[in-house]
Amino acid sequence: MRIRVAVGTGVLALSGVIFAGVPATAAPGAVLLADTNRNGTVDWADQAGKARWAPQRGAVFLPNLDDDAKRCKVTEEDLKDRAVTVDERLAACNDAQDDAVNGPQDVADFAQLRTMPRNVSQDGTVSLGAGEGRYARLWVERDGTWTSLGESGTLTAAELRKGARLALEGKDVIRDKAVWNGVVTVTLKAGGTDAVQLRVAPLILQNDLKAPRQVVTSKPTRPEWSAGYDEFVAGLRKAMAAANLPESALTAISND
């Protein structure tokens, strides 16, 4: 089981969960579950409160904005170019920008859902709320392979009788709460209607007030560029000592 933690929010962002609690006999009607109680398991204990997300209870999904397959290449020209178009192009290159599984670790960034085994004779559908396809993508596992459903898709009667394994992939972070508050609603229609709400994990950034653990500095490689460098490093080590950092915490990288 993989667990990712959003520190300081009291919220666990679960990227992998264990499925449990399958009933011995299937009953009619639709049942869709996510890890609403945030214990790492999707089961019947997640029924209560699943329809409306709350800070104290509700499933969380990750914005899948990393690059597990290392597809996004940064060139030397990119590093020298100060145009905002370079930043926009690099920011747009991430695992959520396509409907493929990008490397073996990509599925670990999906939030798991499941339909419980039901006694149905017809196909059903699973879908996101109106306009929410901009922020998330649905997946279904079939024969060991994850297939993208986009913002909606069909589940066969056979899948519903067995119980389908689904997932939600986040495509963005919250940029403006007035536009999107981070919540998506997944609805299952299969011999009835059921729904569960999830919220995207918060974006947490480093800040200048956190205690340092490591210091990295550049080191000139040519004598003509070294004027004042020794004095600079001496002052840096003094500041490190004041922050209770050992000398081994300093890394000097030769750089032109």
Side-chain angles (χ1 to χ4, degrees):
M1 180 178 70
R2 285 172 162 268
I3 297 179
R4 299 190 177 186
V5 181
V7 180
T9 65
V11 174
L12 290 180
L14 302 176
S15 60
V17 292
I18 301 168
F19 294 116
V22 178
T25 58
V31 176
L32 175 66
L33 297 174
D35 189 23
T36 301
N37 63 7
R38 305 171 188 165
N39 71 345
T41 302
V42 177
D43 57 25
W44 288 99
D46 293 301
Q47 274 278 65
K50 68 179 183 179
R52 188 172 182 82
W53 196 92
Q56 297 77 21
R57 183 179 176 87
V60 179
F61 65 98
L62 293 171
N64 192 16
L65 303 182
D66 59 354
D67 177 25
D68 288 316
K70 309 300 181 187
R71 299 170 295 114
C72 309
K73 304 301 182 183
V74 180
T75 66
E76 192 71 24
E77 288 71 25
D78 290 333
L79 298 175
K80 296 176 182 178
D81 193 337
R82 298 181 181 180
V84 69
T85 54
V86 174
D87 294 333
E88 291 172 345
R89 176 175 59 82
L90 295 175
C93 185
N94 58 67
D95 290 346
Q97 294 306 307
D98 59 30
D99 58 359
V101 175
N102 298 294
Q105 298 301 315
D106 198 24
V107 175
D109 295 328
F110 295 175
Q112 303 295 322
L113 304 97
R114 75 170 302 173
T115 70
M116 302 307 280
R118 301 278 86 185
N119 183 15
V120 297
S121 58
Q122 295 181 337
D123 295 348
T125 61
V126 61
S127 61
L128 298 173
E132 293 176 354
R134 295 174 54 190
Y135 308 109
R137 179 183 291 113
L138 289 167
W139 294 78
V140 61
E141 187 186 43
R142 288 173 172 150
D143 298 323
T145 300
W146 285 97
T147 300
S148 171
L149 298 177
E151 57 185 311
S152 64
T154 299
L155 301 179
T156 67
E159 288 174 326
L160 293 167
R161 285 193 293 268
K162 182 179 179 181
R165 186 181 182 191
L166 305 171
L168 185 72
E169 177 184 24
K171 297 166 65 175
D172 205 355
V173 296
I174 300 173
R175 299 180 184 272
D176 184 345
K177 288 185 178 180
V179 177
W180 181 53
N181 64 358
V183 174
V184 301
T185 301
V186 184
T187 300
L188 172 67
K189 293 183 178 181
T193 301
D194 198 19
V196 61
Q197 278 194 344
L198 303 89
R199 187 180 189 275
V200 70
L203 181 64
I204 300 175
L205 303 177
Q206 298 282 359
N207 65 76
D208 294 339
L209 299 180
K210 293 193 69 174
R213 292 185 298 179
Q214 187 175 5
V215 178
V216 181
T217 181
S218 59
K219 182 179 181 180
T221 59
R222 302 182 186 181
E224 61 268 29
W225 295 347
S226 299
Y229 179 73
D230 291 340
E231 291 83 358
F232 164 75
V233 172
L236 190 58
R237 291 191 183 280
K238 183 177 180 180
M240 290 175 57
N244 296 317
L245 285 176
E247 289 195 9
S248 59
L250 177 64
T251 300
I253 300 175
S254 296
N255 194 331
D256 289 342

